[in-house]
Amino acid sequence: MKFPIRRKLILLTVALSLALTAAAVFISYALFSGRVHRDTQEVCENAAEGMAEEMTAYHAEMLEKLQAQVEELYRDNTAEIEAMSRESDLQTKQEYFEQLTASIFPMQNTLGMSYEKLEFLNEYRSLRGKMNVVLMSSDLDAVELVWLDEARGNLVSLADGNSSESPLYHIPVSVQHPEGKQAQAFVPGGEQATVFDALYCTSVFRVRDLKSSVYVVVQATLSKLADYQKNFIRNMAGVMLAVMVILGLVYVLFADRFVVGNIRRLSRAAHLFTEQMRTETDTELKPVRAGIRTRDEMGELSRGFDLMQDRMLEYIGTIGEKTAREESIRAELSLASRIQSEALPESGFEARGFRIDSMIRPARAVGGDLYDYFLTDENHLFFAEADVSGKGVPAALFMMRGKELIKAHASAGKSPGEIAKAVNAELCKNNEEGLFITAFFGILELSSGLLRYARAGHEQPFLIRDGRAEKISEESNFVLGLYDYFDFEEDELQLQPGDRIVIFTDGLDEGINPRNDAFGYDRIRQVLEQTEGNTLPALFGALDAFADGAEQFDDVTLLQLTAGEKRSWVFENPEYRNIPEVCGGIREALAGAPGDCVSELCMMTDEIMNNCVSYAYEGISAPRLAVDMTRFSDVVCLRFTDNGSPFNPLEKEESEASDRPEDAVGGWGIRLVRMFSDETAYENRDGNNILCIKK
């Protein structure tokens, strides 16, 4: 009996397909199963260890107190607690444990509560909040803190990261009795263990430095992973088997007859067309047809190849138009960049002895960083810096939305925490793309130098004081735009003369060089401690030198608040004899500065005060003159405030006094001020003449 080779090829192809499919399924199942369990175990162990170390470092004292109180309740009410822990009626169960734990967690408000008790409750809530964040961010099912009663083998709940509505939530002081593999994780004196059972991966890590056995328990379900694993293997086996069989049949039945010859024709046509592209000009190119007329895939490929040639020639003919359109897009992006830059306030804003400098460098034409600062009233300066997730046009649009919200709520006189909460609530609306903002909000009381601020996931600012740069704001609130049920805590800092606060986005510390090293906080601190005055150009210079030509991958925004060194003199019924007092104080405050600059400042002060005493107070019953000097590193600002008749000396053109300036109003004084100062400004506010000069 004859056995044709085609039949042999078919049978061999089917057999190989089945064997390869079975081997691939077996190997993939083993690798996938092991990887799933390892990944799950790693997530659980990292979460448990991180929470245990966090509690050891920051909450050990509170946990000692909590465990001691819970143990006392448990010892006194063991039978009732075990019975109520098994109670199926949730309301009855909750009422019992609320009454039982009233001494630990009062149900009433905090009025009349001792400071120690209030501090204990706040730290307990903070601990639960951290557990909740770990629970949500790591896709876990349970994060719990328990105490092991070694005598009975019971786990007494101390805190649970789940919401109280969750079916996995355990009420504090309620008990569990682990069985089977889970019981093996709670060995008295043990440090860490991870066990798998049919439903869960459970990782246990003991909180160190505590007298009793207190554990962090992290749990992740395996049921979804098992279902996903089965579906993956089933689908993969079907797809691989189908592919193997189809490929084998195609090879046996059609390869030699329909594929090889047509491929050669297509290859020759492609070769001739590419030769034309190398030797002919663009206008002389002509399509080369393969001429395959079949109605199968090779025919479609041939027609696609012919269409590709036609479209390529069409593209070459219109490439100039496309280039022009690209130039138009670049021009529009450049215009958008200018509009975005113009929406930000200018650097060098000064208010009553404080100065804000700013610099921004987007990674693309438009960026997602923002900053803003303005006076909310005469005594309060608001400033903010924020960073939108992502880059480019979407981040820029989200940034403009955030900027308007920030300005609106800040202008309403809200505190930093209230601003953050209000902006977060607005950004969470219609945020389908899941964009978010990290931000730093500050409100400075100009009269006292007290800074109140709130940080929402933003980088920690640096405070430079007495030549040392240290981070402030160790604690951070959550980012803006994702969840609208957070409150935002505030902090405060008393600024001293000469203090500088530098705020920056993560594009600075995460800037990289060709070796993929990060710029880092240590380099930032080094630049800040070695640079006086406005440190922002030095930071950008250091970042550029470190990058060594590497592409900037994120926006970089810098903000510096400087508290100037201030001196003030106030005179009721000012007289000429007050002038030497002010000039002497200026010389004393500027000791070590270049002598000619100090002399010019004193000369301008002499002329301005002389003119005020001589001309300003005619008909004024209670004359008053105030002189304020503020020094920012190598910049000195003098501010003269008098309640005399309204008069702006800067409106007088020099031409009026070109021949005999001594005959003009102000005489030589205004000419000297224009000559020696770098900037001058005048305003009349609240019935006072205010003249400011800068040098």
Side-chain angles (χ1 to χ4, degrees):
M1 179 179 179
K2 293 183 178 180
F3 201 74
I5 191 170
R6 179 171 294 177
R7 188 177 299 175
K8 293 180 180 178
L9 289 175
I10 293 174
L11 293 176
L12 180 61
T13 302
V14 171
L16 288 175
S17 299
L18 292 174
L20 291 175
T21 300
V25 168
F26 177 80
I27 295 172
S28 299
Y29 179 86
L31 294 176
F32 185 84
S33 177
R35 181 61 182 270
V36 166
H37 280 73
R38 285 195 302 272
D39 289 349
T40 304
Q41 180 176 349
E42 183 178 358
V43 169
C44 291
E45 288 180 349
N46 289 342
E49 183 178 1
M51 284 303 303
E53 292 177 353
E54 174 81 9
M55 295 173 188
T56 301
Y58 300 103
H59 304 287
E61 184 176 350
M62 184 274 290
L63 289 178
E64 288 280 5
K65 296 179 180 178
L66 175 62
Q67 190 275 331
Q69 295 178 70
V70 169
E71 182 177 359
E72 182 178 357
L73 288 179
Y74 174 76
R75 299 299 185 198
D76 295 340
N77 305 275
T78 302
E80 292 182 4
I81 290 175
E82 290 181 343
M84 292 305 298
S85 296
R86 296 188 295 270
E87 173 64 46
S88 59
D89 183 34
L90 183 60
Q91 183 175 357
T92 302
K93 185 176 181 179
Q94 287 179 337
E95 289 177 354
Y96 170 79
F97 282 104
E98 284 179 357
Q99 294 177 0
L100 180 66
T101 60
S103 61
I104 304 176
F105 310 106
M107 293 180 287
Q108 304 299 323
N109 57 41
T110 58
L111 293 178
M113 186 179 296
S114 69
Y115 174 80
E116 291 184 356
K117 189 65 175 180
L118 185 59
E119 185 179 32
F120 170 84
L121 291 176
N122 287 338
E123 188 172 355
Y124 181 80
R125 295 188 187 103
S126 173
L127 174 62
R128 283 205 62 206
K130 293 176 182 177
M131 296 170 68
N132 181 258
V133 170
V134 171
L135 185 69
M136 293 189 299
S137 63
S138 301
D139 197 21
L140 301 171
D141 290 272
V143 176
E144 187 177 2
L145 187 66
V146 300
W147 161 61
L148 174 63
D149 177 18
E150 299 178 0
R152 294 176 175 269
N154 285 336
L155 299 179
V156 183
S157 178
L158 299 179
D160 197 319
N162 275 297
S163 169
S164 58
E165 285 76 25
S166 171
L168 297 178
Y169 174 75
H170 292 106
I171 304 173
V173 192
S174 65
V175 300
Q176 313 159 52
H177 190 77
E179 297 179 354
K181 291 185 177 180
Q182 290 193 4
Q184 300 172 9
F186 298 90
V187 179
E191 291 291 334
Q192 180 181 13
T194 301
V195 296
F196 287 84
D197 56 23
L199 298 177
Y200 295 101
C201 170
T202 304
S203 184
V204 175
F205 202 96
R206 183 174 181 176
V207 181
R208 300 186 179 93
D209 300 331
L210 297 183
K211 298 177 181 178
S212 301
S213 298
V214 177
Y215 294 89
V216 175
V217 182
V218 173
Q219 202 168 60
T221 182
L222 297 177
S223 58
K224 295 181 180 178
L225 296 176
D227 293 338
Y228 177 73
Q229 184 177 351
K230 293 178 182 178
N231 292 333
F232 172 81
I233 298 302
R234 187 185 302 113
N235 294 336
M236 185 187 66
V239 170
M240 291 190 65
L241 180 59
V243 170
M244 290 290 185
V245 172
I246 291 173
L247 288 177
L249 291 175
V250 169
Y251 174 78
V252 172
L253 298 176
F254 301 104
D256 290 334
R257 184 174 180 182
F258 297 105
V259 177
V260 175
N262 289 334
I263 287 177
R264 288 175 179 170
R265 296 172 68 180
L266 280 172
S267 176
R268 179 173 176 78
H271 175 72
L272 292 175
F273 185 72
T274 54
E275 282 295 321
Q276 279 193 76
M277 295 183 68
R278 282 195 292 266
T279 59
E280 305 293 341
T281 63
D282 292 345
T283 57
E284 296 175 343
L285 290 176
K286 297 179 181 179
V288 180
R289 308 300 184 190
I292 301 174
R293 305 300 181 189
T294 59
R295 296 184 178 181
D296 57 9
E297 289 81 356
M298 293 303 301
E300 292 180 1
L301 181 60
S302 176
R303 290 187 290 274
F305 179 70
D306 294 341
L307 179 62
M308 180 189 68
Q309 294 182 76
D310 295 337
R311 292 294 175 85
M312 184 179 294
L313 295 177
E314 180 182 350
Y315 173 77
I316 293 173
T318 59
I319 192 170
E321 180 183 349
K322 291 185 177 181
T323 302
R325 285 200 296 268
E326 290 175 358
E327 289 296 331
S328 175
I329 292 173
R330 281 193 288 268
E332 290 176 359
L333 286 175
S334 177
L335 176 60
S337 178
R338 290 198 300 272
I339 292 174
Q340 188 180 40
S341 298
E342 291 170 358
L344 301 174
E346 294 185 0
S347 180
F349 179 82
E350 295 177 4
R352 295 176 61 180
F354 294 90
R355 175 188 176 96
I356 293 185
D357 295 286
S358 56
M359 295 182 72
I360 186 170
R361 183 191 290 174
R364 299 180 182 174
V366 291
D369 284 4
L370 68 93
Y371 64 83
D372 202 359
Y373 37 82
F374 52 86
L375 292 172
T376 58
D377 56 44
E378 291 185 358
N379 194 38
H380 292 89
L381 170 65
F382 169 79
F383 61 95
E385 181 181 272
D387 181 6
V388 180
S389 60
K391 296 178 284 295
V393 175
L397 294 176
F398 200 71
M399 179 271 279
M400 296 303 295
R401 179 186 174 194
K403 183 177 183 299
E404 294 305 316
L405 290 173
I406 292 170
K407 188 162 189 177
H409 291 291
S411 300
K414 297 179 179 179
S415 68
E418 292 171 341
I419 295 171
K421 184 173 183 179
V423 172
N424 179 54
E426 294 293 333
L427 291 178
C428 287
K429 298 177 181 177
N430 301 320
N431 185 12
E432 301 297 333
E433 298 300 324
L435 296 174
F436 62 87
I437 293 178
T438 68
F440 182 94
F441 302 117
I443 295 181
L444 175 65
E445 189 175 66
L446 299 175
S447 60
S448 65
L450 180 63
L451 173 64
R452 293 182 174 87
Y453 59 87
R455 186 164 66 96
H458 204 65
E459 296 294 311
Q460 289 180 247
F462 274 96
L463 169 67
I464 303 96
R465 175 178 291 172
D466 298 329
R468 292 182 57 83
E470 300 293 341
K471 292 181 184 179
I472 64 171
S473 182
E474 289 292 338
E475 298 296 332
S476 174
N477 297 293
F478 203 66
V479 298
L480 308 178
L482 294 181
Y483 306 104
D484 61 356
Y485 48 78
F486 286 105
D487 289 326
F488 292 83
E489 297 184 2
E490 301 177 2
D491 207 341
E492 63 182 35
L493 175 66
Q494 181 64 53
L495 295 182
Q496 302 175 7
D499 282 354
R500 291 171 289 162
I501 292 180
V502 175
I503 311 167
F504 52 92
T505 57
D506 58 5
L508 177 64
D509 61 283
E510 296 179 1
I512 60 173
N513 61 14
R515 296 179 299 279
N516 210 33
D517 300 325
F519 190 63
Y521 288 110
D522 290 338
R523 290 185 178 88
I524 297 174
R525 179 182 286 106
Q526 184 178 7
V527 173
L528 296 179
E529 292 181 346
Q530 294 177 353
T531 308
E532 296 183 355
N534 183 4
T535 60
L536 307 189
L539 282 171
F540 268 122
L543 178 62
D544 292 339
F546 173 79
D548 194 20
E551 182 181 0
Q552 177 183 337
F553 72 93
D554 199 1
D555 307 328
V556 180
T557 299
L558 308 178
L559 207 66
Q560 176 173 303
L561 172 66
T562 305
E565 300 176 10
K566 298 178 64 176
R567 293 287 295 272
S568 299
W569 299 268
V570 179
F571 303 105
E572 306 292 343
N573 298 313
E575 300 176 358
Y576 296 110
R577 61 187 179 87
N578 301 135
I579 298 175
E581 177 184 347
V582 177
C583 291
I586 292 175
R587 293 183 184 276
E588 178 184 348
L590 300 181
D596 54 347
C597 293
V598 177
S599 298
E600 291 169 0
L601 284 168
C602 290
M603 190 178 301
M604 289 186 287
T605 300
D606 188 308
E607 291 294 338
I608 294 172
M609 291 183 66
N610 198 312
N611 283 341
C612 286
V613 174
S614 300
Y615 305 112
Y617 301 112
E618 184 176 354
I620 303 299
S621 59
R624 187 176 185 274
L625 173 63
V627 182
D628 299 296
M629 184 197 78
T630 306
R631 180 180 183 180
F632 303 100
S633 186
D634 57 350
V635 178
V636 176
C637 300
L638 289 174
R639 172 183 169 131
F640 301 87
T641 306
D642 68 80
N643 62 345
S645 302
F647 176 70
N648 181 5
L650 302 180
E651 289 182 348
K652 301 298 180 180
E653 298 293 338
E654 289 188 9
S655 59
E656 296 183 22
S658 59
D659 295 328
R660 294 181 57 81
E662 65 274 13
D663 295 336
V665 177
W668 283 98
I670 297 305
R671 173 167 287 191
L672 287 174
V673 170
R674 291 181 182 276
M675 183 185 305
F676 292 142
S677 65
D678 295 318
E679 293 182 22
T680 56
Y682 167 84
E683 65 174 326
N684 188 284
R685 186 172 69 238
D686 299 330
N688 292 316
N689 296 300
I690 303 174
L691 178 64
C692 297
I693 63 176
K694 182 185 296 185
K695 185 171 181 63

